[in-house]
Amino acid sequence: MRRLLLLFSTVLFGLSATAKETYLYIEKFTDFEIGHSFKVYDVKGTEIKSATATVQYAPGSTANKCLFVKTGTTPGYVELDIPDGLTGTKVTKSYDRIYMQLRYESGNTAAKGTNLKVLYGSTESFSGASGLNEAGKFVGQNYTTKSVSSFKKTVRIGLEAKNAEYYIDNVRYVNVYGYDINDETQTARYWADKLGKNIGCCISPNQISGSGRSVETFYKNFNMLVGENAMKMDATEPGNNSFNFSQGDQIVNFAKAHNMKVRGHTLCWHSQIPGWIGESNSGSNPKGWTKKQLMDILKNHITKTVQHYAFNVVEWDVVNETLSDGQSGNGYNLRDNSIWVKVIGREFIDSAFVWARRAADAVGDYNVKLYLNDYNVDSWNGGKTKAMYNLAVEMKKKGIPIDGIGMQTHTNIGYDLAGVETAVRKFQEAGLNCIFTEIDVKASNTASGLKTQAQKYEGIAEFVCKYDISPTMVVWGIDDNHSWIDDHETSVPLMFDPDMHAKQAYLSVVDMFKKYAEAAEAAAEVDDIEFDEDGLQKVEEKVDVYTLTGQKMASGIDRSEVDALPSGLYIVGGRKVYVK
Ligand code: G3I
């Protein structure tokens, strides 16, 4: 029985808002009657009966309710309920700031310049300058709170002020990162995992030691890692047949600890070759290697490296950047500033893949995938893409064990999504995977630049969602401060800013994976559609088609036309139908 499957994103998908603070309100006091009172406690948790905290209108207002606090000889802290469903972690790790507005009047300046305290029971989460230094107006600001373990269902707030009168309003928890990293459903990893797709990031060993937001971001937002430099030849074979896999091992161990995959980069490249072999980025052969000697060196390197990382690396960039920058448009040209090209010639590419496959198979790692990786192989309409296609297809036709190509995707806001999708489909038709291995999208650090940048990241994520042959997207850096790009401060190419705030690019990728994962989940309930012996469905021939939200897409069309609709999820003839 054939299942006619439609996948449709019924959600009208706007770009996520630029990354900005997200709030959980504690109290605006609007729901209380004037005169409603709250209890006040001292710093040790004893109620202070003499102090008062009552809901009043703000000075000069007959509409804006706020809290009016009066203390005596002991500073008092007002007890407010925490919004339901909050936990200690959520309150003080995810929402790691608290915001409120404070005010005093010139008639009582005891509150001026005093410290604010935020307490859970008697445990301090904040104690420091309130910032309240001017009479007659509300001062509102964020206060960075310390995480607390002994979490109470109430929070206590007040100024360290005696015999004071002051106002509190608009108290809220604040997450400055634009999303809650501790809510897995807000991470790209969560939805990519549901889709069985890889969302990765390059990393260096010095970035995974210790704790902190960026380390959390690696393993909570991504499910794949790749060594930015750790598995290159100069790192893994610093001496002739003298290997040092320690850097890559650190990445593999971190990935294992966080149930992440690792992709290997790269077994053979003209750059970052160790000095004992020759000069990087040069076709020279200062050591005078013969072709056979260099073949043996490369074979030994690939064999030992693939077998060392067997079962811990799921895919390798076997050969990286072998195409020259200039291409005629027919066939392909190899770069000449490469010792591999100059001393061995074209056959090094095929041999590298055969050696990698044999090495992996020899130890039983039959699943590791082998990729040919390059830059400027993005749009079908430009760059080296057709040359990459010609080389990869030639290899495949010869029976070379190539699984696919990697589009490094070092690009900018001129990235041609339509042209790239044409290329993806060409590789699909050729039976080759096409993945995105080193993404960065240079943009201006402006609202419009970041919006366009987000559209490009979103578009790549959609390719990964839509095409089985595009299971992987990897960004080349965790945040805009960790990019190989010289002008990264201004071209802000990545998905997180230097303070690890999620940019629109990241939020758009999350939304894209979520959209497809939810549609796939919805379709999982799809009713099977019965077909008769001629393969026709046993339902009426003419059907109406609606989106899940009830929008009519087509009426009275032939049932046979349904699978010609754009991929999506529909209601067809009253039944939920999902086309892939
Ligand atoms: O390890 C040495 C260190 O010992 C020395 O003190 C230091 C100062 O010179 O250099 C360190 O090596 C640097 C290496 O990164 C490790 O940090 C090299 O100088 C530096 O050139 C190298 O840059 C890397 C570059 O590849 C090399 O071409 C970048 O980090 C890395 O992001 C970049 O990544 C490449 C991909 O592998 C292939 N695609 C293009 C992409 C961007 O160029």
Side-chain angles (χ1 to χ4, degrees), residues 202 204 227-229 232 234 247 265-266 269 271-272 281 317 320-321 373-375 408 410 438 440 476 483-485:
C202 78
S204 297
E228 184 173 10
N229 296 290
K232 293 174 178 173
D234 60 349
Q247 289 187 48
H265 176 78
T266 176
W269 190 22
S271 191
Q272 287 181 273
N281 310 311
D317 290 335
N320 188 45
E321 301 180 10
N373 194 48
D374 215 322
Y375 59 85
Q408 290 184 5
H410 294 297
E438 304 179 16
D440 35 48
W476 209 245
S483 167
W484 67 283
I485 296 173

Side-chain angles (χ1 to χ4, degrees), residues 333-406:
N333 302 314
L334 302 182
R335 67 177 50 251
D336 55 16
N337 64 330
S338 160
I339 191 170
W340 313 110
V341 173
K342 298 297 274 188
V343 176
I344 300 171
R346 159 78 180 79
E347 69 182 273
F348 90 90
I349 303 171
D350 297 349
S351 299
F353 276 81
V354 169
W355 294 330
R357 185 74 272 151
R358 284 180 184 162
D361 294 355
V363 295
D365 187 1
Y366 306 110
N367 296 324
V368 66
K369 296 287 182 278
L370 306 179
Y371 283 90
L372 179 67
N373 194 48
D374 215 322
Y375 59 85
N376 201 15
V377 291
D378 312 301
S379 170
W380 190 250
N381 309 318
K384 308 186 287 190
T385 314
K386 290 188 177 69
M388 183 69 149
Y389 176 86
N390 296 337
L391 171 57
V393 167
E394 178 189 88
M395 292 169 68
K396 187 164 175 69
K397 283 179 176 164
K398 287 196 294 187
I400 300 301
I402 176 173
D403 295 294
I405 68 105

Side-chain angles (χ1 to χ4, degrees), residues 426-467:
K426 293 284 188 187
F427 285 105
Q428 182 182 44
E429 288 156 15
L432 288 162
N433 275 5
C434 177
I435 62 174
F436 306 89
T437 56
E438 304 179 16
I439 305 163
D440 35 48
V441 181
K442 293 174 74 167
S444 66
N445 196 9
T446 60
S448 62
L450 294 172
K451 181 176 180 181
T452 307
Q453 179 186 63
Q455 287 166 338
K456 304 305 180 185
Y457 274 97
E458 179 193 54
I460 295 168
E462 183 149 39
F463 296 151
V464 170
C465 292
K466 278 173 73 172
Y467 294 98

